[in-house]
Amino acid sequence: MNDGLLLALPVVLPALLFAALGLAWLLDLRPSEAAVGRATSTCWALAVLAVAALVLGSLGGLPPPSVEFGRWFFGGGRHVTLALRADALSLVMLSLSASLVGIVAVFSRRYMHRDPGFHRFFILLNMFGAGVMLLFAAEPFELLAVGWELVGAASVLLVAFYQQREAPARGALRVLAAYRCADIGLLAGIALLHHAHGAPSGATAAAVAFCFLFAAMGKSAQVPFSGWLPRAMEGPTPSSAIFYGALSVHAGAYLLLRARPFLDASAWAAGAVVAVGALTALQGALVGRTCPDAKTSLAHATATQLGLIFVEIGLGWDVLALWHIAGHAVLRTAQFLRAPSLLHDHHRLHSGAGGHLTSAGAPFGALLPRPFQDWLYGFALDLRGRGLS
Amino acid sequence: MILPALHAALAVGLVLSAPRSLRTTRWTLGVLWIGACASAAYLSRSTAGAALAWAAAFAPLLMAGVFERPAGPWAAFSLAFFPAQTGLAAAFERGPLLPTALLLNGHLGALTASRLLAALPPDDAAAARPWVVALALFMALASAVLALRETRPRRVLARLAAGQGALILAGLACGNAAAQAGALALGQASAVAMTMLAGVCASLESRVGAALERPGYLGLAAGAPRLATFFAVAALTLAGLPLTMGFPALELLLGGLFEVGPAGLALPVVSALNGFVVLRLFALLFWGPALDAARGMPDALPRERWFLSAAVLFLLFGGLFPSALLP
């Protein structure tokens, strides 16, 4: 099959499935859980095969595949070209995305079984999948922005998945606020690029780099936007895994890797990337120590690693950053997917060790007076404000 | 030709889909009059014709007994002083929602102002353009910031309508082809999306009454998931989400405004704020623990569903194939 078509397949298939499932829901047609699950798994299996073929072709020395579908819209001499291109950076992210979304889709068939929002979850998962594949395969920045926005919208809607409670709704609004801030940077950067006819230099290149850094900070939960990441954990665990462990949070780092020519043109921008990353890593590491539940701890651990990835990008170590992204995404997805079974795992380990596991932090906690320990425990679990301690 | 036909279609759609409690003969004639005046303003080739049609569109709002509640003369008149509509929020809050929204979403003020600008001698027009663009962007930014303070649905819609109108004026006054194409695309997208939002709000008001003004989360998605979906599509269009018509409109407008100068940087900020405000309104209305009144309330009725579905199809078609609708 033609390389261009192979590249388009992983983007188009999830988009078509999203449209079909969404239309069925609006028309009040209710396909069975098994049918939705099978269609999604098949779609992502085909996407993995297509990307694998592209990777094999690339390893065999073929040039980076690309495909162009013409102009999307134009008015007053301005247009967006519908072009996809998969260089080494894109191929790594596409392989990662197709595999992880596929794994999460299979996991979710059981995890979401008989949940009233089963269909809604899979509609949004496929919307996210289409968005993330487009984000990583897009050639022009305008098309990257399309994927970026789709990922953001799916993310907000999934954080508020359990919408009958107030906490997820509040968390989703916090995520929305951070994402909208990030969008300002992306849109301004793209407009500056267009204004410079795609080849900015000097001050314009530095401005583009700073705009993209601002966008990346919001999307990848860097200081001062990092507060949204723990709040996003209100969504279902599989979506937390794929969004905030694996793919969505790395979109900012990917944008910076794509913006390498502009970062190279401005030492100040590169320095700012290092500073932001270092600060986030420090903040994530410190705050993560105080978290009482598994998913929030994982959120802060994710922010810490993203901070380190930013430092690597700022220092120009792109290959290391890319490996770091890949390794981190895979490990964190596994950790998030195991998070609901954490207590079970711990008890099994505890039994296996003959009941000799020392609880984390206990030696330090024992130094404090007992009443203060109780107060701290209640404070950490936010019980005092609700009069429960 | 798209905009005149669109405004006529929106007026007919509102008449067919509005809650039965509103649809008296006078109400129907009043709404159709506003739609006809908006269409006439866009069809008119002269500035005076457009201004006359714009003024005529106000008539039903000023006449007692046409709509369910009077807008009040000051609120209705203040709608005319575009873009500084001081009484806009009051007009939306106290006046008839659907006719006021229909009138505002025509953005006839922006149309008339841009035609006045075009009628000036070339040198005067060239000197005035940057000032008009800057003023319009400032008004859009001010509306977006004011909207952040609002949580009541009608007042939020008022601020959003004012902000969209100011952005359209900025694009039309800009003088370059990309910005004008973007402004016209935004005119279409925001007219449809804002009318959808007003239509859904009117439907919800007819179901839950004054509870819609209650602060906090209302959880109405529990009773009306399809109305929530229609509202979400309209909100995402105003937020500039790709695959809806809001995205090409925003892209073109952004490209065009940047050609003029750094004032264009305000557009991403306005867009981000407007997107946040409208999606926050969606969250407040449809998420959270459900109101007692929301349990067992009817979802979108067939007459509402057909109108809102057609509007969604228009927004998605415009998002996927914008060239078909752009001048």
PDB file of all heavy atoms in Angstrom, chain A residues 25 28 72-73 76 78 146 149 160 163-164 166 170 176 180 184, chain B residues 177 217 226 229 239 242 251 258 271-272 279 287-289 319-320 322:
ATOM      1  N   TRP A  25     -25.245   7.975  18.701  1.00  0.00           N
ATOM      2  CA  TRP A  25     -25.739   8.416  20.010  1.00  0.00           C
ATOM      3  C   TRP A  25     -26.780   9.512  19.841  1.00  0.00           C
ATOM      4  O   TRP A  25     -27.828   9.500  20.495  1.00  0.00           O
ATOM      5  CB  TRP A  25     -24.560   8.919  20.856  1.00  0.00           C
ATOM      6  CG  TRP A  25     -24.979   9.241  22.256  1.00  0.00           C
ATOM      7  CD1 TRP A  25     -25.140   8.366  23.292  1.00  0.00           C
ATOM      8  CD2 TRP A  25     -25.336  10.528  22.769  1.00  0.00           C
ATOM      9  NE1 TRP A  25     -25.553   9.033  24.416  1.00  0.00           N
ATOM     10  CE2 TRP A  25     -25.690  10.346  24.128  1.00  0.00           C
ATOM     11  CE3 TRP A  25     -25.386  11.799  22.223  1.00  0.00           C
ATOM     12  CZ2 TRP A  25     -26.079  11.411  24.930  1.00  0.00           C
ATOM     13  CZ3 TRP A  25     -25.785  12.847  23.028  1.00  0.00           C
ATOM     14  CH2 TRP A  25     -26.124  12.648  24.368  1.00  0.00           C
ATOM     15  N   ASP A  28     -30.067   8.309  18.851  1.00  0.00           N
ATOM     16  CA  ASP A  28     -30.632   7.415  19.859  1.00  0.00           C
ATOM     17  C   ASP A  28     -30.491   5.944  19.476  1.00  0.00           C
ATOM     18  O   ASP A  28     -31.272   5.097  19.917  1.00  0.00           O
ATOM     19  CB  ASP A  28     -32.113   7.756  20.104  1.00  0.00           C
ATOM     20  CG  ASP A  28     -32.488   7.535  21.559  1.00  0.00           C
ATOM     21  OD1 ASP A  28     -31.567   7.262  22.345  1.00  0.00           O
ATOM     22  OD2 ASP A  28     -33.674   7.616  21.899  1.00  0.00           O
ATOM     23  N   TRP A  72      -7.313  23.075   2.693  1.00  0.00           N
ATOM     24  CA  TRP A  72      -8.519  22.854   3.495  1.00  0.00           C
ATOM     25  C   TRP A  72      -9.447  24.050   3.380  1.00  0.00           C
ATOM     26  O   TRP A  72     -10.585  23.940   3.000  1.00  0.00           O
ATOM     27  CB  TRP A  72      -8.119  22.588   4.944  1.00  0.00           C
ATOM     28  CG  TRP A  72      -9.262  22.349   5.854  1.00  0.00           C
ATOM     29  CD1 TRP A  72     -10.525  21.954   5.514  1.00  0.00           C
ATOM     30  CD2 TRP A  72      -9.253  22.465   7.261  1.00  0.00           C
ATOM     31  NE1 TRP A  72     -11.299  21.812   6.626  1.00  0.00           N
ATOM     32  CE2 TRP A  72     -10.542  22.131   7.714  1.00  0.00           C
ATOM     33  CE3 TRP A  72      -8.287  22.819   8.193  1.00  0.00           C
ATOM     34  CZ2 TRP A  72     -10.877  22.141   9.066  1.00  0.00           C
ATOM     35  CZ3 TRP A  72      -8.611  22.832   9.524  1.00  0.00           C
ATOM     36  CH2 TRP A  72      -9.899  22.480   9.957  1.00  0.00           C
ATOM     37  N   PHE A  73      -8.954  25.201   3.748  1.00  0.00           N
ATOM     38  CA  PHE A  73      -9.796  26.379   3.559  1.00  0.00           C
ATOM     39  C   PHE A  73      -8.909  27.547   3.197  1.00  0.00           C
ATOM     40  O   PHE A  73      -7.729  27.585   3.513  1.00  0.00           O
ATOM     41  CB  PHE A  73     -10.640  26.706   4.790  1.00  0.00           C
ATOM     42  CG  PHE A  73      -9.876  27.054   6.026  1.00  0.00           C
ATOM     43  CD1 PHE A  73      -9.428  28.336   6.251  1.00  0.00           C
ATOM     44  CD2 PHE A  73      -9.628  26.087   6.996  1.00  0.00           C
ATOM     45  CE1 PHE A  73      -8.753  28.662   7.415  1.00  0.00           C
ATOM     46  CE2 PHE A  73      -8.953  26.403   8.154  1.00  0.00           C
ATOM     47  CZ  PHE A  73      -8.511  27.694   8.366  1.00  0.00           C
ATOM     48  N   GLY A  76      -9.020  35.256   1.335  1.00  0.00           N
ATOM     49  CA  GLY A  76      -8.093  36.379   1.339  1.00  0.00           C
ATOM     50  C   GLY A  76      -6.646  35.953   1.204  1.00  0.00           C
ATOM     51  O   GLY A  76      -5.772  36.534   1.839  1.00  0.00           O
ATOM     52  N   ARG A  78      -5.212  33.334   2.332  1.00  0.00           N
ATOM     53  CA  ARG A  78      -4.698  32.528   3.449  1.00  0.00           C
ATOM     54  C   ARG A  78      -5.327  31.143   3.367  1.00  0.00           C
ATOM     55  O   ARG A  78      -6.530  31.002   3.162  1.00  0.00           O
ATOM     56  CB  ARG A  78      -5.086  33.200   4.762  1.00  0.00           C
ATOM     57  CG  ARG A  78      -4.514  32.537   5.990  1.00  0.00           C
ATOM     58  CD  ARG A  78      -4.793  33.431   7.198  1.00  0.00           C
ATOM     59  NE  ARG A  78      -4.706  32.696   8.449  1.00  0.00           N
ATOM     60  CZ  ARG A  78      -3.574  32.432   9.080  1.00  0.00           C
ATOM     61  NH1 ARG A  78      -2.438  32.831   8.559  1.00  0.00           N
ATOM     62  NH2 ARG A  78      -3.586  31.775  10.216  1.00  0.00           N
ATOM     63  N   VAL A 146      -5.154  21.791  15.152  1.00  0.00           N
ATOM     64  CA  VAL A 146      -6.440  21.092  15.100  1.00  0.00           C
ATOM     65  C   VAL A 146      -6.409  19.882  16.046  1.00  0.00           C
ATOM     66  O   VAL A 146      -7.306  19.686  16.879  1.00  0.00           O
ATOM     67  CB  VAL A 146      -6.747  20.633  13.654  1.00  0.00           C
ATOM     68  CG1 VAL A 146      -7.999  19.781  13.619  1.00  0.00           C
ATOM     69  CG2 VAL A 146      -6.921  21.844  12.752  1.00  0.00           C
ATOM     70  N   GLU A 149      -6.336  20.997  19.749  1.00  0.00           N
ATOM     71  CA  GLU A 149      -7.636  21.423  20.292  1.00  0.00           C
ATOM     72  C   GLU A 149      -8.557  20.231  20.530  1.00  0.00           C
ATOM     73  O   GLU A 149      -9.301  20.201  21.518  1.00  0.00           O
ATOM     74  CB  GLU A 149      -8.314  22.415  19.332  1.00  0.00           C
ATOM     75  CG  GLU A 149      -7.574  23.719  19.143  1.00  0.00           C
ATOM     76  CD  GLU A 149      -7.743  24.652  20.336  1.00  0.00           C
ATOM     77  OE1 GLU A 149      -8.537  24.352  21.229  1.00  0.00           O
ATOM     78  OE2 GLU A 149      -7.039  25.676  20.379  1.00  0.00           O
ATOM     79  N   ALA A 160     -14.624  15.544  33.375  1.00  0.00           N
ATOM     80  CA  ALA A 160     -15.966  15.707  33.954  1.00  0.00           C
ATOM     81  C   ALA A 160     -16.856  14.508  33.629  1.00  0.00           C
ATOM     82  O   ALA A 160     -18.079  14.637  33.611  1.00  0.00           O
ATOM     83  CB  ALA A 160     -16.594  16.970  33.416  1.00  0.00           C
ATOM     84  N   GLN A 163     -20.173  13.402  35.769  1.00  0.00           N
ATOM     85  CA  GLN A 163     -20.629  14.788  35.825  1.00  0.00           C
ATOM     86  C   GLN A 163     -21.682  15.027  36.889  1.00  0.00           C
ATOM     87  O   GLN A 163     -22.015  16.177  37.170  1.00  0.00           O
ATOM     88  CB  GLN A 163     -21.175  15.195  34.460  1.00  0.00           C
ATOM     89  CG  GLN A 163     -22.314  14.313  34.006  1.00  0.00           C
ATOM     90  CD  GLN A 163     -22.576  14.462  32.513  1.00  0.00           C
ATOM     91  OE1 GLN A 163     -21.684  14.756  31.740  1.00  0.00           O
ATOM     92  NE2 GLN A 163     -23.810  14.247  32.114  1.00  0.00           N
ATOM     93  N   GLN A 164     -22.231  13.959  37.471  1.00  0.00           N
ATOM     94  CA  GLN A 164     -23.269  14.154  38.483  1.00  0.00           C
ATOM     95  C   GLN A 164     -22.670  14.598  39.820  1.00  0.00           C
ATOM     96  O   GLN A 164     -23.406  14.945  40.733  1.00  0.00           O
ATOM     97  CB  GLN A 164     -24.132  12.893  38.659  1.00  0.00           C
ATOM     98  CG  GLN A 164     -23.420  11.660  39.139  1.00  0.00           C
ATOM     99  CD  GLN A 164     -22.666  10.941  38.012  1.00  0.00           C
ATOM    100  OE1 GLN A 164     -22.434  11.472  36.931  1.00  0.00           O
ATOM    101  NE2 GLN A 164     -22.247   9.710  38.279  1.00  0.00           N
ATOM    102  N   GLU A 166     -19.866  17.248  41.867  1.00  0.00           N
ATOM    103  CA  GLU A 166     -19.375  18.606  41.651  1.00  0.00           C
ATOM    104  C   GLU A 166     -17.858  18.654  41.455  1.00  0.00           C
ATOM    105  O   GLU A 166     -17.362  19.459  40.670  1.00  0.00           O
ATOM    106  CB  GLU A 166     -19.778  19.487  42.843  1.00  0.00           C
ATOM    107  CG  GLU A 166     -20.440  20.776  42.400  1.00  0.00           C
ATOM    108  CD  GLU A 166     -20.871  21.636  43.568  1.00  0.00           C
ATOM    109  OE1 GLU A 166     -21.994  21.425  44.022  1.00  0.00           O
ATOM    110  OE2 GLU A 166     -20.078  22.493  44.008  1.00  0.00           O
ATOM    111  N   ARG A 170     -15.690  20.808  38.742  1.00  0.00           N
ATOM    112  CA  ARG A 170     -14.735  21.872  39.115  1.00  0.00           C
ATOM    113  C   ARG A 170     -13.355  21.582  38.542  1.00  0.00           C
ATOM    114  O   ARG A 170     -12.662  22.468  38.045  1.00  0.00           O
ATOM    115  CB  ARG A 170     -14.659  21.986  40.641  1.00  0.00           C
ATOM    116  CG  ARG A 170     -15.763  22.846  41.242  1.00  0.00           C
ATOM    117  CD  ARG A 170     -15.340  23.379  42.604  1.00  0.00           C
ATOM    118  NE  ARG A 170     -14.931  22.309  43.509  1.00  0.00           N
ATOM    119  CZ  ARG A 170     -15.739  21.702  44.367  1.00  0.00           C
ATOM    120  NH1 ARG A 170     -17.002  22.093  44.452  1.00  0.00           N
ATOM    121  NH2 ARG A 170     -15.317  20.737  45.148  1.00  0.00           N
ATOM    122  N   LEU A 176      -9.786  23.255  31.828  1.00  0.00           N
ATOM    123  CA  LEU A 176     -10.187  24.110  30.705  1.00  0.00           C
ATOM    124  C   LEU A 176      -9.466  25.454  30.767  1.00  0.00           C
ATOM    125  O   LEU A 176      -8.965  25.951  29.743  1.00  0.00           O
ATOM    126  CB  LEU A 176     -11.704  24.320  30.745  1.00  0.00           C
ATOM    127  CG  LEU A 176     -12.282  25.288  29.727  1.00  0.00           C
ATOM    128  CD1 LEU A 176     -12.147  24.735  28.324  1.00  0.00           C
ATOM    129  CD2 LEU A 176     -13.752  25.569  30.016  1.00  0.00           C
ATOM    130  N   ARG A 180      -7.026  26.795  27.876  1.00  0.00           N
ATOM    131  CA  ARG A 180      -7.327  28.003  27.104  1.00  0.00           C
ATOM    132  C   ARG A 180      -6.148  28.971  27.157  1.00  0.00           C
ATOM    133  O   ARG A 180      -5.857  29.664  26.180  1.00  0.00           O
ATOM    134  CB  ARG A 180      -8.596  28.695  27.622  1.00  0.00           C
ATOM    135  CG  ARG A 180      -9.878  27.962  27.423  1.00  0.00           C
ATOM    136  CD  ARG A 180     -10.111  27.499  26.020  1.00  0.00           C
ATOM    137  NE  ARG A 180     -10.294  28.566  25.056  1.00  0.00           N
ATOM    138  CZ  ARG A 180     -10.472  28.395  23.745  1.00  0.00           C
ATOM    139  NH1 ARG A 180     -10.438  27.197  23.230  1.00  0.00           N
ATOM    140  NH2 ARG A 180     -10.638  29.407  22.929  1.00  0.00           N
ATOM    141  N   ILE A 184      -3.671  30.367  23.836  1.00  0.00           N
ATOM    142  CA  ILE A 184      -3.258  31.733  23.459  1.00  0.00           C
ATOM    143  C   ILE A 184      -1.854  31.689  22.854  1.00  0.00           C
ATOM    144  O   ILE A 184      -1.596  32.264  21.791  1.00  0.00           O
ATOM    145  CB  ILE A 184      -3.256  32.661  24.697  1.00  0.00           C
ATOM    146  CG1 ILE A 184      -4.678  32.822  25.241  1.00  0.00           C
ATOM    147  CG2 ILE A 184      -2.671  34.028  24.346  1.00  0.00           C
ATOM    148  CD1 ILE A 184      -4.746  33.594  26.554  1.00  0.00           C
TER     149      ILE A 184
ATOM    150  N   ALA B 177      -8.218  41.275   2.878  1.00  0.00           N
ATOM    151  CA  ALA B 177      -9.177  40.249   2.446  1.00  0.00           C
ATOM    152  C   ALA B 177      -9.313  39.113   3.458  1.00  0.00           C
ATOM    153  O   ALA B 177     -10.418  38.606   3.690  1.00  0.00           O
ATOM    154  CB  ALA B 177      -8.737  39.701   1.098  1.00  0.00           C
ATOM    155  N   TYR B 217     -23.886  24.675  40.288  1.00  0.00           N
ATOM    156  CA  TYR B 217     -24.104  23.673  39.240  1.00  0.00           C
ATOM    157  C   TYR B 217     -25.555  23.199  39.269  1.00  0.00           C
ATOM    158  O   TYR B 217     -26.091  22.926  40.339  1.00  0.00           O
ATOM    159  CB  TYR B 217     -23.170  22.484  39.457  1.00  0.00           C
ATOM    160  CG  TYR B 217     -21.720  22.842  39.281  1.00  0.00           C
ATOM    161  CD1 TYR B 217     -20.948  23.247  40.365  1.00  0.00           C
ATOM    162  CD2 TYR B 217     -21.124  22.783  38.032  1.00  0.00           C
ATOM    163  CE1 TYR B 217     -19.611  23.599  40.198  1.00  0.00           C
ATOM    164  CE2 TYR B 217     -19.787  23.135  37.853  1.00  0.00           C
ATOM    165  CZ  TYR B 217     -19.045  23.535  38.936  1.00  0.00           C
ATOM    166  OH  TYR B 217     -17.726  23.884  38.775  1.00  0.00           O
ATOM    167  N   ARG B 226     -29.491  15.536  25.387  1.00  0.00           N
ATOM    168  CA  ARG B 226     -29.369  16.004  23.999  1.00  0.00           C
ATOM    169  C   ARG B 226     -29.342  17.530  23.920  1.00  0.00           C
ATOM    170  O   ARG B 226     -28.602  18.099  23.112  1.00  0.00           O
ATOM    171  CB  ARG B 226     -30.474  15.414  23.142  1.00  0.00           C
ATOM    172  CG  ARG B 226     -30.081  14.028  22.706  1.00  0.00           C
ATOM    173  CD  ARG B 226     -31.113  13.259  21.993  1.00  0.00           C
ATOM    174  NE  ARG B 226     -30.619  11.889  21.880  1.00  0.00           N
ATOM    175  CZ  ARG B 226     -30.632  11.003  22.849  1.00  0.00           C
ATOM    176  NH1 ARG B 226     -31.139  11.311  24.013  1.00  0.00           N
ATOM    177  NH2 ARG B 226     -30.119   9.794  22.679  1.00  0.00           N
ATOM    178  N   THR B 229     -25.910  18.334  24.562  1.00  0.00           N
ATOM    179  CA  THR B 229     -25.016  18.118  23.423  1.00  0.00           C
ATOM    180  C   THR B 229     -25.117  19.276  22.428  1.00  0.00           C
ATOM    181  O   THR B 229     -24.102  19.767  21.927  1.00  0.00           O
ATOM    182  CB  THR B 229     -25.371  16.794  22.715  1.00  0.00           C
ATOM    183  OG1 THR B 229     -25.394  15.764  23.691  1.00  0.00           O
ATOM    184  CG2 THR B 229     -24.371  16.453  21.634  1.00  0.00           C
ATOM    185  N   ALA B 239     -15.837  28.695  20.923  1.00  0.00           N
ATOM    186  CA  ALA B 239     -14.482  28.561  21.469  1.00  0.00           C
ATOM    187  C   ALA B 239     -13.455  28.357  20.352  1.00  0.00           C
ATOM    188  O   ALA B 239     -12.261  28.311  20.617  1.00  0.00           O
ATOM    189  CB  ALA B 239     -14.427  27.390  22.444  1.00  0.00           C
ATOM    190  N   PRO B 242     -11.656  23.153  16.233  1.00  0.00           N
ATOM    191  CA  PRO B 242     -11.573  22.642  14.867  1.00  0.00           C
ATOM    192  C   PRO B 242     -12.730  21.701  14.569  1.00  0.00           C
ATOM    193  O   PRO B 242     -13.285  21.081  15.472  1.00  0.00           O
ATOM    194  CB  PRO B 242     -10.263  21.868  14.859  1.00  0.00           C
ATOM    195  CG  PRO B 242      -9.477  22.430  15.965  1.00  0.00           C
ATOM    196  CD  PRO B 242     -10.446  22.872  17.002  1.00  0.00           C
ATOM    197  N   GLU B 251      -9.085  31.473  12.525  1.00  0.00           N
ATOM    198  CA  GLU B 251      -7.781  31.422  11.830  1.00  0.00           C
ATOM    199  C   GLU B 251      -7.647  32.571  10.833  1.00  0.00           C
ATOM    200  O   GLU B 251      -6.611  33.244  10.780  1.00  0.00           O
ATOM    201  CB  GLU B 251      -7.663  30.087  11.087  1.00  0.00           C
ATOM    202  CG  GLU B 251      -7.074  28.975  11.920  1.00  0.00           C
ATOM    203  CD  GLU B 251      -5.592  29.179  12.107  1.00  0.00           C
ATOM    204  OE1 GLU B 251      -4.896  29.443  11.131  1.00  0.00           O
ATOM    205  OE2 GLU B 251      -5.133  29.079  13.261  1.00  0.00           O
ATOM    206  N   PHE B 258      -3.266  40.247  12.150  1.00  0.00           N
ATOM    207  CA  PHE B 258      -1.819  40.335  12.367  1.00  0.00           C
ATOM    208  C   PHE B 258      -1.130  41.152  11.287  1.00  0.00           C
ATOM    209  O   PHE B 258      -0.050  41.691  11.513  1.00  0.00           O
ATOM    210  CB  PHE B 258      -1.211  38.926  12.438  1.00  0.00           C
ATOM    211  CG  PHE B 258      -0.832  38.555  13.826  1.00  0.00           C
ATOM    212  CD1 PHE B 258      -1.799  38.214  14.751  1.00  0.00           C
ATOM    213  CD2 PHE B 258       0.486  38.561  14.238  1.00  0.00           C
ATOM    214  CE1 PHE B 258      -1.474  37.882  16.045  1.00  0.00           C
ATOM    215  CE2 PHE B 258       0.834  38.230  15.533  1.00  0.00           C
ATOM    216  CZ  PHE B 258      -0.150  37.892  16.435  1.00  0.00           C
ATOM    217  N   SER B 271     -10.374  35.181  22.304  1.00  0.00           N
ATOM    218  CA  SER B 271     -10.902  33.857  21.945  1.00  0.00           C
ATOM    219  C   SER B 271     -10.797  32.900  23.129  1.00  0.00           C
ATOM    220  O   SER B 271     -11.731  32.133  23.410  1.00  0.00           O
ATOM    221  CB  SER B 271     -10.118  33.332  20.742  1.00  0.00           C
ATOM    222  OG  SER B 271     -10.285  31.970  20.619  1.00  0.00           O
ATOM    223  N   ALA B 272      -9.653  32.930  23.819  1.00  0.00           N
ATOM    224  CA  ALA B 272      -9.466  32.033  24.968  1.00  0.00           C
ATOM    225  C   ALA B 272     -10.464  32.356  26.077  1.00  0.00           C
ATOM    226  O   ALA B 272     -11.080  31.463  26.664  1.00  0.00           O
ATOM    227  CB  ALA B 272      -8.034  32.152  25.493  1.00  0.00           C
ATOM    228  N   LEU B 279     -17.870  27.739  27.911  1.00  0.00           N
ATOM    229  CA  LEU B 279     -17.805  26.352  28.391  1.00  0.00           C
ATOM    230  C   LEU B 279     -18.056  26.274  29.896  1.00  0.00           C
ATOM    231  O   LEU B 279     -18.583  25.280  30.394  1.00  0.00           O
ATOM    232  CB  LEU B 279     -16.464  25.725  28.006  1.00  0.00           C
ATOM    233  CG  LEU B 279     -16.371  25.449  26.494  1.00  0.00           C
ATOM    234  CD1 LEU B 279     -14.956  25.117  26.080  1.00  0.00           C
ATOM    235  CD2 LEU B 279     -17.306  24.323  26.081  1.00  0.00           C
ATOM    236  N   TRP B 287     -23.602  20.205  34.325  1.00  0.00           N
ATOM    237  CA  TRP B 287     -22.859  19.283  35.186  1.00  0.00           C
ATOM    238  C   TRP B 287     -23.251  19.486  36.652  1.00  0.00           C
ATOM    239  O   TRP B 287     -23.907  20.453  37.004  1.00  0.00           O
ATOM    240  CB  TRP B 287     -21.355  19.502  35.014  1.00  0.00           C
ATOM    241  CG  TRP B 287     -20.830  19.046  33.677  1.00  0.00           C
ATOM    242  CD1 TRP B 287     -21.476  18.242  32.785  1.00  0.00           C
ATOM    243  CD2 TRP B 287     -19.578  19.384  33.082  1.00  0.00           C
ATOM    244  NE1 TRP B 287     -20.688  18.063  31.668  1.00  0.00           N
ATOM    245  CE2 TRP B 287     -19.519  18.734  31.820  1.00  0.00           C
ATOM    246  CE3 TRP B 287     -18.486  20.149  33.480  1.00  0.00           C
ATOM    247  CZ2 TRP B 287     -18.418  18.839  30.966  1.00  0.00           C
ATOM    248  CZ3 TRP B 287     -17.387  20.255  32.618  1.00  0.00           C
ATOM    249  CH2 TRP B 287     -17.355  19.598  31.386  1.00  0.00           C
ATOM    250  N   GLY B 288     -22.755  18.570  37.482  1.00  0.00           N
ATOM    251  CA  GLY B 288     -23.000  18.674  38.915  1.00  0.00           C
ATOM    252  C   GLY B 288     -24.237  17.901  39.333  1.00  0.00           C
ATOM    253  O   GLY B 288     -24.923  17.299  38.490  1.00  0.00           O
ATOM    254  N   PRO B 289     -24.524  17.901  40.639  1.00  0.00           N
ATOM    255  CA  PRO B 289     -25.709  17.181  41.135  1.00  0.00           C
ATOM    256  C   PRO B 289     -26.980  17.771  40.518  1.00  0.00           C
ATOM    257  O   PRO B 289     -27.110  18.990  40.430  1.00  0.00           O
ATOM    258  CB  PRO B 289     -25.675  17.443  42.645  1.00  0.00           C
ATOM    259  CG  PRO B 289     -24.311  17.964  42.946  1.00  0.00           C
ATOM    260  CD  PRO B 289     -23.792  18.591  41.711  1.00  0.00           C
ATOM    261  N   GLY B 319     -17.301  23.862   9.230  1.00  0.00           N
ATOM    262  CA  GLY B 319     -15.994  23.530   9.795  1.00  0.00           C
ATOM    263  C   GLY B 319     -15.191  22.629   8.882  1.00  0.00           C
ATOM    264  O   GLY B 319     -13.967  22.747   8.781  1.00  0.00           O
ATOM    265  N   LEU B 320     -15.890  21.710   8.192  1.00  0.00           N
ATOM    266  CA  LEU B 320     -15.187  20.751   7.328  1.00  0.00           C
ATOM    267  C   LEU B 320     -14.926  21.330   5.935  1.00  0.00           C
ATOM    268  O   LEU B 320     -13.880  21.076   5.343  1.00  0.00           O
ATOM    269  CB  LEU B 320     -16.005  19.465   7.204  1.00  0.00           C
ATOM    270  CG  LEU B 320     -16.073  18.603   8.468  1.00  0.00           C
ATOM    271  CD1 LEU B 320     -17.097  17.495   8.323  1.00  0.00           C
ATOM    272  CD2 LEU B 320     -14.704  18.015   8.782  1.00  0.00           C
ATOM    273  N   PRO B 322     -15.146  24.878   4.804  1.00  0.00           N
ATOM    274  CA  PRO B 322     -15.415  26.315   4.951  1.00  0.00           C
ATOM    275  C   PRO B 322     -15.383  27.064   3.628  1.00  0.00           C
ATOM    276  O   PRO B 322     -16.082  28.063   3.475  1.00  0.00           O
ATOM    277  CB  PRO B 322     -14.304  26.795   5.888  1.00  0.00           C
ATOM    278  CG  PRO B 322     -13.296  25.729   5.907  1.00  0.00           C
ATOM    279  CD  PRO B 322     -13.928  24.466   5.492  1.00  0.00           C
TER     280      PRO B 322
END
